[in-house]
């Protein structure tokens, strides 16, 4: 028989995982579409970037997830076999360099427009959208990132 404290903890876990928006999900939390003086990639270039956050309680494999800037092509850039731990962030450069080697800096096969455009993170089924800026994010200021605050699970 399950103890009352274990039952309460299990209920709380199920409640938070199903009721709170964003709990237990991987999503885009921030991006920068006009990077002139900020974060640099491994070559020292100021590339635009997209930040992905895992606000869940377990490590998630991003293998087969997608990033896209085209609502008609949800599978534009596929993540390699890359894990993101609970409460962890990954930065993907939106550089048009198309680099997908696990353990090295990741680069999409598209760049972000500072005039605004569609942006989405898509789950491995290639149809479920984890996060999207639709129909487009607004025009962006140089060196000012845009996004959502991360949900704190602690």
């Amino acid at each position: 028989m399950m103890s009352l404290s274990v039952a309460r903890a299990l209920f709380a876990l199920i409640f938070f995982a199903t009721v709170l928006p964003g709990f237990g999900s991987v999503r885009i939390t921030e991006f920068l579409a006009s990077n002139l003086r900020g974060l640099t990639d491994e070559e020292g270039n100021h590339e635009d970037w997209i930040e992905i956050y895992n606000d869940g309680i377990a490590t998630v494999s991003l293998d087969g997830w997608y990033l896209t800037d085209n609502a008609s092509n949800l599978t534009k850039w596929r993540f390699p076999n890359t894990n993101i731990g609970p409460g962890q962030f990954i930065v993907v450069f939106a550089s048009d360099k198309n680099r997908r080697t696990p353990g090295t800096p990741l680069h999409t096969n598209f760049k972000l427009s500072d005039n605004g455009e569609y942006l989405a993170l898509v789950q491995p089924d290639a149809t479920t959208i984890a996060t999207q800026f639709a129909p487009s994010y607004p025009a962006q200021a140089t060196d000012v990132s845009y996004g959502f605050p991360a949900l704190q699970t602690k």
Side-chain angles (χ1 to χ4, degrees), residues 8-104:
R8 284 183 183 152
L10 185 56
F11 171 77
L13 178 60
I14 292 168
F15 173 80
F16 285 114
T18 59
V19 175
L20 287 180
F23 186 87
S25 63
V26 175
R27 57 198 166 103
I28 297 171
T29 50
E30 190 176 8
F31 65 89
L32 193 135
S34 181
N35 184 8
L36 294 181
R37 293 180 297 275
L39 184 65
T40 58
D41 70 4
E42 69 278 16
E43 296 168 345
N45 298 321
H46 291 92
E47 302 292 355
D48 300 337
W49 50 263
I50 303 164
E51 178 186 82
I52 309 297
Y53 178 63
N54 176 2
D55 68 2
I57 59 173
T59 297
V60 173
S61 172
L62 292 176
D63 189 22
W65 287 65
Y66 301 91
L67 283 169
T68 186
D69 66 345
N70 184 336
S72 299
N73 181 4
L74 296 181
T75 61
K76 190 165 183 179
W77 185 81
R78 184 176 188 244
F79 275 90
N81 187 13
T82 300
N83 292 330
I84 182 169
Q88 299 296 307
F89 296 88
I90 290 179
V91 171
V92 179
F93 291 100
S95 66
D96 201 26
K97 294 178 182 176
N98 196 24
R99 295 183 181 160
R100 301 179 49 251
T101 304
T104 65

Side-chain angles (χ1 to χ4, degrees), residues 119-143:
L119 177 62
L121 173 66
V122 182
Q123 293 182 7
D125 66 7
T127 58
T128 304
I129 297 169
T131 311
Q132 70 178 341
F133 296 86
S136 66
Y137 55 79
Q140 300 294 294
T142 300
D143 292 325

